[in-house]
Amino acid sequence: MSLIEIIKYGTPSLQERSVPVEEINNEIRQLAADMGESMYTNKGVGLAAPQVARNIRLFVLDTEQVTHDRRNLQVFINPEILDESVEDGPYTEGCLSIPNIEGEVFRPLRVKVRAFNEHGEEFVLEADDLLARVIQHEYDHLDGVLFIDRMSKERRALLAGQLNALRRETEASLAAAK
Ligand code: ZN
């Protein structure tokens, strides 16, 4: 199993809308497994395909792996948010593509999502707490939306220097790789 690289803020494709997965085949299953490995290695709770430079509607998550010894990777392919609670709440989020930056984001506390798993089986999940939070964060990635886009203007202004530095660093490494 290969460890795929997670791309960072400043990569244009990270902020583009992804297209649906056309066929759930071995290549997609391998991608999901590889994304899981990268996620666990980097101690994340979720990872979306655009974060590994694949602009397709797929993400993986595991909100129960805080200790990393019990792995239960959940794969979401072509997910759709069917319903969300009116009630929302704050939580301090981070993102593997935006290292060392955190910020409070308000989101609905509960969501109902429909998706396909890596075996092509459709499922519907009603989620709350951290799971609802991570589903929405990863789902946003599929639309090119980052958690920093949902922070308050004040918080974003405070982080502007750090974000610009990260963007420049990413742009420089992209230019060097050409
Ligand atoms: Zn993220």
Side-chain angles (χ1 to χ4, degrees), residues 3 15 20 25 33 45 58 61 64 67 79 85 97 104 110 114 132 139 141-142 144 156 159 162:
L3 203 57
Q15 290 174 282
N25 53 25
V45 289
L58 181 160
L61 58 80
E64 293 174 10
T67 56
S85 62
S97 292
E104 189 181 73
R110 292 174 298 281
R114 179 175 59 204
Y139 186 90
H141 273 297
L142 307 184
R156 188 152 178 165
L159 292 172
Q162 262 179 286

Side-chain angles (χ1 to χ4, degrees), residues 46-48 51 93-98 137-138 141 145-147:
L47 189 66
Q51 294 180 274
E93 296 189 19
C95 181
L96 293 176
S97 292
I98 315 174
H137 176 116
E138 301 309 328
H141 273 297
V145 176
L146 304 174
F147 82 90

Side-chain angles (χ1 to χ4, degrees), residues 159-178:
L159 292 172
Q162 262 179 286
L163 284 168
N164 287 335
L166 176 58
R167 175 182 283 278
R168 279 196 300 272
E169 191 185 310
T170 301
E171 286 169 352
S173 67
L174 288 174
K178 267 182 189 158

Side-chain angles (χ1 to χ4, degrees), residues 65-170:
Q65 49 84 32
V66 177
T67 56
H68 294 276
D69 51 10
R70 191 159 59 97
R71 294 188 170 197
N72 179 30
L73 190 72
Q74 281 183 281
V75 180
F76 292 70
I77 300 169
N78 296 341
E80 265 184 85
I81 302 229
L82 302 176
D83 203 4
E84 55 185 36
S85 62
V86 176
E87 199 186 348
D88 67 1
Y91 189 84
T92 300
E93 296 189 19
C95 181
L96 293 176
S97 292
I98 315 174
N100 306 316
I101 289 178
E102 288 186 335
E104 189 181 73
V105 178
F106 278 79
R107 296 188 191 270
L109 296 177
R110 292 174 298 281
V111 291
K112 185 176 177 181
V113 62
R114 179 175 59 204
F116 293 89
N117 66 17
E118 68 273 38
H119 308 296
E121 298 154 350
E122 192 179 44
F123 64 94
V124 174
L125 182 65
E126 292 189 49
D128 60 8
D129 292 329
L130 181 61
L131 182 57
R133 172 71 49 174
V134 176
I135 287 170
Q136 292 173 83
H137 176 116
E138 301 309 328
Y139 186 90
D140 267 355
H141 273 297
L142 307 184
D143 289 332
V145 176
L146 304 174
F147 82 90
I148 53 173
D149 301 324
R150 295 192 183 276
M151 292 187 314
S152 68
K153 280 197 178 70
E154 292 76 15
R155 178 70 182 158
R156 188 152 178 165
L158 277 174
L159 292 172
Q162 262 179 286
L163 284 168
N164 287 335
L166 176 58
R167 175 182 283 278
R168 279 196 300 272
E169 191 185 310
T170 301

Side-chain angles (χ1 to χ4, degrees), residues 1 6 9 14 20 29 35 57 63 89 95 127 135 138 174-175:
M1 206 174 283
I6 297 173
Y9 177 68
L14 199 56
R29 279 184 280 277
M35 285 169 58
R57 301 185 80 80
T63 55
C95 181
I135 287 170
E138 301 309 328
L174 288 174

